[in-house]
Amino acid sequence: MPSSPRALVIRAAGTNCDSEMVRAFELAGARVDLVHLDRLTAEPQRLDDFDLFGFPGGFSYGDDIASGRLFAVRLRERLYPALRAAAERHAPMIGACNGFQVLVQVGLLPGPMPPASTWPEAPPVQTCALAHNVLPAGGSGFVDRWVRVDPNPKSPCIWTRPLVDAFRADPARAERLLRLPIAHGEGRFVTHSPAELDAIESNHQVALRYASWEGGTDNPNGSSGSAGGVAGICDASGRIFGLMPHPERYLDWNRHPFWTRLEESDRRGDTPGLMMFRAAVETVAPARV
């Protein structure tokens, strides 16, 4: 009888979306362990037991120094070899909000750029970051709202593929349903140089963008917001995915900001948030048979 894939959600002091991420993996069909970072740094070999990995949102270690910095430093120093091994065996990983900030600082995103095919032995140099928001009125601040998003149909990202399949043929339905909540003060995607952004774009590693339309955008920072409208990127394999919106907060239709006004036909099947987790779990499920 086939066994369910195993997912590991890594928490630390200050994470606050770990329970939601656990539930997302469970609803998608995985068996989930929620483990504190301290336990894993003492036993790095435990990562070998898992098929999928989740890095939840929140304010890990109070976001001291910068958002996700202490969490990322501990991963780089103590768990990079185990995470590298997981990446080499193509284990899907997701980092939402604070988790995205962690993944880019560890160097798991954007990952090795083609034609490179292997992960470096040592943690790679960070090439992109999630900087402080720059609000249209000037200054910086925490942004908490729902935004429309647009998946990139050319991206290899396994997490966003079902969104492309389900919504690209029906723009009106996508406008109603392809929304995700954001809640961050440091979510403005930047790269060290224009060449870094060009490489990510040319490899189709921009998996999710803030939706835009003539005369408007849901990029939470407006014209000075995330470079290229980036809401989320993946590595070249499409298995490691980081995004600033929170798909784990949109697992039920009644979480949609105007769910009572949706058509009954809209509320059938999985929400966009659950679609992402189910796609990743089903990708590794055949290996567990």
Side-chain angles (χ1 to χ4, degrees):
M1 184 173 181
S3 59
S4 300
R6 294 190 65 190
L8 173 65
V9 175
I10 305 175
R11 70 179 183 90
T15 53
N16 64 13
C17 289
D18 40 319
S19 294
E20 289 92 335
M21 190 167 281
V22 166
R23 181 170 180 258
F25 277 119
E26 288 178 339
L27 289 175
R31 294 174 294 149
V32 190
D33 284 13
L34 176 63
V35 183
H36 196 284
L37 180 58
D38 288 350
R39 178 68 61 84
L40 296 171
T41 56
E43 303 175 88
Q45 69 278 6
R46 293 189 63 175
L47 274 68
D48 297 340
D49 297 332
F50 294 93
D51 305 296
L52 306 104
F53 297 85
F55 300 82
F59 304 90
S60 58
Y61 298 103
D63 280 344
D64 285 349
I65 307 175
S67 292
R69 180 66 56 81
L70 296 181
F71 197 151
V73 167
R74 297 196 66 197
L75 290 175
R76 284 177 68 94
E77 291 182 349
R78 304 296 296 276
L79 289 179
Y80 178 76
L83 290 169
R84 177 185 181 275
E88 289 280 10
R89 58 183 165 87
H90 304 297
M93 304 182 192
I94 186 170
C97 198
N98 201 234
F100 186 15
Q101 295 159 346
V102 168
L103 290 179
V104 298
Q105 293 178 69
V106 173
L108 290 169
L109 285 174
M113 292 298 204
S117 59
T118 59
W119 289 80
E121 294 289 340
V125 174
Q126 183 180 349
T127 60
C128 59
L130 285 309
H132 284 282
N133 296 336
V134 178
L135 303 183
S140 61
F142 188 84
V143 179
D144 181 5
R145 64 183 177 90
W146 284 68
V147 295
R148 286 173 50 194
V149 292
D150 188 15
N152 179 2
K154 295 182 179 180
S155 174
C157 184
I158 63 169
W159 300 83
T160 58
R161 191 174 301 148
L163 302 184
V164 174
D165 295 341
F167 295 104
R168 292 291 289 186
D170 190 343
R173 186 167 182 258
E175 181 178 344
R176 294 192 301 275
L177 303 182
L178 265 183
R179 300 166 183 260
L180 293 171
I182 59 169
H184 59 253
E186 296 176 43
R188 183 169 55 91
F189 184 79
V190 296
T191 57
H192 283 183
S193 70
E196 298 286 355
L197 181 61
D198 289 344
I200 292 171
E201 292 273 15
S202 63
N203 292 330
H204 306 300
Q205 291 177 239
V206 177
L208 198 68
R209 300 182 196 273
Y210 297 109
S212 60
W213 54 93
E214 185 176 355
T217 178
D218 253 348
N219 190 327
N221 301 132
S223 60
S224 61
S226 292
V230 170
I233 65 171
C234 65
D235 76 323
S237 76
R239 301 248 172 165
I240 302 176
F241 178 44
L243 71 167
M244 286 312 299
H246 287 269
E248 78 284 359
R249 294 183 181 179
Y250 187 16
L251 304 177
D252 304 283
W253 287 112
N254 61 9
R255 301 301 190 267
H256 188 283
F258 50 87
W259 75 277
T260 57
R261 286 180 281 157
L262 297 177
E263 298 291 335
E264 183 178 350
S265 59
D266 282 338
R267 292 186 273 115
R268 292 175 183 162
D270 292 340
T271 63
L274 184 52
M275 283 182 186
M276 295 188 202
F277 286 91
R278 194 180 301 282
V281 171
E282 290 180 350
T283 296
V284 301
R288 304 292 294 187
V289 176

